[in-house]
């Protein structure tokens, strides 16, 4: 016993040194003799440092090295804007903007006589009960805060300014008293806790809507008291027969649901032009029941509706949907083929048919999995696409019967106001709402391993997302966006954000020259005509 006690410290020290050295020697030999990685074969151990740095690089850049306005898809500042609005209902800043004003970009034209708050057409008659956090003390390693119940203003539009989908064209038009809603996100893409928190949060805020995504209507979409726009994609999930054809019976059943206020036919989406693929192992009994497919069986959906290969057929389909369901029917598109778009608008004018609303998804949008080449280069960005659609509808005299919904990284009041000025009536947000329920932009939405339980169906990971906590952040976020929109409207000299028009927007280039949206559209048309003239020249021999 005495000898053991005597030599024990030396043995422990020796083991502490020998074990790591032995492991390093093992790794060195393993790397030096493997044939898969040239870096490891030539530089054993050192190559592993490279791989480790590559692996943790995004986290290091996000938290340590990137500036507040750097990083994609959203900068640290943009991310914090959403979190602070949802958690603390805080949007004030100090010491001015950190925007780089030397870059080109859009600006709201402020009026020399902005509207007083008492002049704004806000409906705050119905207060909303929510919860928000108050920071008591913040140290280097800790933050002490408490949550408290508050009565807050919802910033609804007044009744006379409400945006109405399908007014005069269907039996049950959809009246909306806020201009911001949730973009299409299916149950399955997001977990049940995330969908439930979003549904309840939007219901608390009121005056908004939730797009179900193409995966059908789940119980989690119905958990809150919010209005739904049911999206129907080429897979026909939720409205299909066992053979995969459109089921009018299933459609009528959905249309009869009180919370379902409108339908959206998804023609294409920047992130999903590849079509859909759902592995059989993910088709649980619940997913199968919602989507009307077989449990455990893999489902591939095409990148367009196989039944409707022309606008005439599509519009006839929409007409029948509107007649059977009695509710507005819209289309979701990505703008790329402008000539095709003009053909569509021409047919709308000639036939008197067409959608009640068009959702324009910018090429920069997308929450689902897709291929890099499609995400990067297919479809125009929203601030280019939106004025093109708006202008075409005006030129053909059908703008008054079609509402426009814009989406594509429009996550803050100023960006939403710019979209409204460019012609949008409403705005959809997806990733902003994901952040409001806890998304940390880990970029693993397609792996089912989302570390915060948002874009995953893993029950263990979803356990981290507490519905009773996050739903208030959703409510606070959407109400703060509406409050910010009224701030911008007042600065522009109008009583309501519904009154924002092209004339309230200007573009500054990097030389400091300014131009209006109208002149920019005219320039695009001139360039298109010049390109067409070139295309009409005889081909080379």
């Amino acid at each position: 016993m005495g000898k053991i006690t005597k030599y024990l410290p030396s043995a422990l020290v020796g083991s502490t040194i020998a074990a790591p050295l032995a492991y390093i020697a093992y790794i060195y030999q393993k790397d030096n003799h493997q044939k898969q990685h040239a870096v490891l074969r030539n530089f054993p151990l050192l190559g592993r440092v490279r791989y480790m740095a590559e692996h943790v690089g995004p986290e290091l850049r996000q938290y340590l090295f990137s500036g507040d306005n750097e990083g994609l898809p959203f900068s640290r500042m943009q991310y914090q804007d959403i979190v602070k609005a949802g958690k603390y209902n805080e949007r004030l800043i100090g010491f001015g903007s950190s925007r780089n004003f030397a870059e080109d970009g859009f600006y709201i034209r402020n009026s020399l006589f902005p509207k007083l708050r008492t002049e704004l057409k806000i409906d705050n008659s119905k207060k909303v009960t929510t919860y928000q956090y108050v920071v008591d003390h913040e140290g280097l390693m800790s933050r002490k805060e408490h949550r408290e119940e508050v009565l807050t203003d919802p910033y609804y539009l007044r009744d006379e300014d409400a945006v109405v989908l399908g007014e005069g064209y269907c039996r049950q038009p959809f009246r909306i008293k806020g201009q911001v809603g949730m973009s299409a996100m299916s149950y399955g893409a997001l977990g049940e806790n995330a969908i439930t928190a979003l549904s309840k949060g939007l219901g608390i805020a009121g005056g908004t809507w939730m797009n179900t995504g193409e995966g059908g209507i789940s119980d989690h979409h119905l958990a809150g008291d919010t209005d739904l726009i049911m999206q129907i994609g080429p897979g026909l999930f939720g409205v299909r027969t066992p053979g995969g054809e459109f089921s009018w019976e299933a459609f009528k059943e959905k249309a009869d649901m009180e919370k379902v206020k409108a339908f959206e036919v998804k023609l294409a989406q920047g992130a999903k032009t590849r079509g859909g693929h759902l592995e059989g192992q993910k088709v649980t009994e619940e997913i199968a029941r919602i989507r009307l497919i077989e449990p455990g069986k893999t489902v591939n959906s095409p990148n367009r509706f196989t039944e409707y290969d022309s606008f005439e057929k599509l519009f006839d389909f929409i007409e029948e949907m509107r007649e059977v369901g009695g509710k507005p029917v819209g289309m979701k598109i990505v703008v790329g083929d402008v000539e095709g778009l003009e053909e569509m608008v021409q047919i709308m004018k000639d036939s008197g048919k067409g959608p009640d609303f068009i959702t324009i998804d910018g090429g920069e949008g997308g929450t689902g999995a897709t291929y890099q080449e499609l995400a990067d280069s297919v479809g125009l960005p929203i601030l280019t696409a939106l004025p093109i659609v708006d202008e075409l509808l005006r030129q053909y005299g059908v703008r008054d019967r079609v509402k426009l919904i814009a989406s594509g990284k429009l996550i803050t009041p100023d960006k939403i106001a710019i979209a409204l000025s460019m012609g949008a009536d409403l705005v959809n947000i997806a990733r902003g709402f994901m952040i409001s329920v806890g998304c940390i932009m880990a970029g693993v939405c397609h792996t089912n391993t989302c570390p915060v339980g948002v874009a995953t169906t893993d029950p263990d990971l979803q356990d981290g997302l507490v519905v009773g906590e996050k739903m208030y952040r959703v409510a606070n976020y959407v109400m703060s966006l509406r409050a910010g929109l009224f701030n911008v409207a007042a600065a522009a000299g109008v009583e309501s954000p519904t009154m924002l028009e092209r004339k309230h927007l200007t573009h500054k280039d990097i030389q400091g020259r300014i131009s209006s949206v109208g002149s920019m559209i005219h320039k695009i048309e001139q360039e298109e005509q010049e390109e067409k003239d070139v295309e009409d020249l005889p081909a080379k021999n």
Side-chain angles (χ1 to χ4, degrees), residues 21-31:
L21 289 177
Y23 181 71
I24 290 171
Y26 166 73
I27 294 295
Y28 184 93
Q29 287 297 317
K30 182 182 177 184
D31 289 348

Side-chain angles (χ1 to χ4, degrees), residues 153-185:
D153 292 326
Y155 288 89
Y156 297 134
L157 302 172
R158 289 190 182 174
D159 289 342
E160 63 271 24
D161 293 326
V163 180
V164 187
L165 305 182
E167 187 169 33
Y169 292 90
C170 57
R171 299 190 298 275
Q172 299 179 58
F174 180 22
R175 179 175 291 274
I176 307 169
K177 293 194 65 171
Q179 291 175 286
V180 184
M182 193 189 95
S183 193
M185 292 192 284

